[in-house]
Amino acid sequence: GQPARAKVRSSAAMPGQTGARAEDVLGARARGQLGRLTNDVEGTVGATTGPQARARIEAGLQDASENLYTPTMGKQVSEEGMAAIQPILDRFPPQVVSRAEQVMANLARTEGYDVARLTSAERLHFLKRALSDTVQTMGREGLGADEARAYGRLLREFTDQMDTHIPGYAGARGRWRELKGAEEAVELGDNIFKPTTRIDDIRERV
C-alpha cells in the first residue's frame, strides 16, 4: 500500500545505501515480496514519508548555505593559498578558462552576487563550478576522452587545494554533497515504483 511505499522511498534518502536499496526493491517488486522488504525498512526509517524527507533535506540545504557556505565564502584566500591554487588554474588552456570565466560571471549574477565585489574565495568557488560546467559542455561538443580526463584531474587538484587553503570549505562542500545525494536518492526511491522503471535505469543512476 501507499504507507509501505513511502517507507521504502524514504529509505533511499539514507546516504551510502541507495544502490543496494534500489536493487533490493526492484528485486522484491519482481518477486512480489515488496511487503517483506518494507517491513524490514520500517525498523530503520519509521513512518517518514517522501515529502517529510524532502522537507528535512531542503532545511538542511538552507542551513548549510547560511551557516557553512556563506561564512566560508566571505573570506579572502591567503597569499599562500593563492600561490598553491593559481598554478593549477594556469594549466587549463586559455580558451577553457575564458569560457569558464563567462559562465562564472553569469552564475554569480543569477545568484545575486556583484561580480566586481566577489571575495577571492567566492571567485574561486564560482570558477570551480564554471570549469566543471564548461568541461561538461565541451564534452557534449566532442571533446576527446583523453582531454576530458586531463581536465577532470585538474579539477580535482583545483578542488583539493581549495579544500586545503579555504578554511571550512571542505566541510561545507561535504555537507552539501551529502544532502544533494540524499535528495537524488529520494527521487530515485520515487522512480523505483513506476511500472516503466527498469533495473538498468536504476543502475545508471547509482
Side-chain angles (χ1 to χ4, degrees):
Q2 188 63 30
R5 293 186 179 196
K7 290 170 185 174
V8 176
R9 282 198 293 267
S10 298
S11 73
M14 300 170 65
Q17 298 185 19
T18 309
R21 184 60 68 195
E23 296 279 2
D24 286 348
V25 172
L26 285 172
R29 187 181 71 176
R31 295 189 299 272
Q33 298 174 349
L34 193 56
R36 173 195 59 77
L37 182 63
T38 54
N39 287 337
D40 176 63
V41 170
E42 183 175 357
T44 302
V45 299
T48 302
T49 64
Q52 288 173 329
R54 286 190 180 86
R56 287 204 306 270
I57 291 166
E58 184 61 33
L61 289 169
Q62 184 67 26
D63 179 72
S65 177
E66 293 177 357
N67 297 311
L68 294 176
Y69 265 112
T70 297
T72 296
M73 293 296 95
K75 303 171 184 175
Q76 299 291 346
V77 181
S78 67
E79 291 185 8
E80 176 188 0
M82 292 304 301
I85 293 169
Q86 189 62 47
I88 299 171
L89 182 60
D90 291 342
R91 288 159 57 192
F92 282 97
Q95 66 270 24
V96 175
V97 176
S98 178
R99 288 183 63 169
E101 286 177 340
Q102 183 59 57
V103 174
M104 176 197 73
N106 292 339
L107 281 173
R109 288 192 190 94
T110 58
E111 295 187 17
Y113 288 83
D114 181 345
V115 178
R117 298 171 64 88
L118 292 175
T119 67
S120 53
E122 289 168 341
R123 183 171 293 278
L124 288 171
H125 174 64
F126 280 115
L127 184 57
K128 178 181 73 69
R129 292 170 55 190
L131 281 166
S132 179
D133 287 351
T134 298
V135 171
Q136 289 182 30
T137 300
M138 293 175 68
R140 292 190 293 271
E141 295 171 350
L143 182 69
D146 286 345
E147 198 171 1
R149 282 193 290 271
Y151 295 160
R153 287 193 295 271
L154 279 178
L155 273 169
R156 288 191 291 275
E157 289 183 45
F158 189 58
T159 303
D160 287 345
Q161 290 299 324
M162 290 176 65
D163 284 345
T164 298
H165 294 287
I166 302 177
Y169 188 68
R173 198 168 59 83
R175 178 58 176 159
W176 190 270
R177 184 173 59 245
E178 178 186 75
L179 289 163
K180 294 300 286 187
E183 185 176 61
E184 291 176 5
V186 170
E187 179 185 346
L188 175 62
D190 287 338
N191 289 335
I192 283 174
F193 291 96
K194 293 180 180 177
T196 55
T197 298
R198 303 172 303 155
I199 188 70
D200 288 342
D201 296 330
I202 300 300
R203 287 196 180 107
E204 288 177 5
R205 294 287 302 277
V206 299

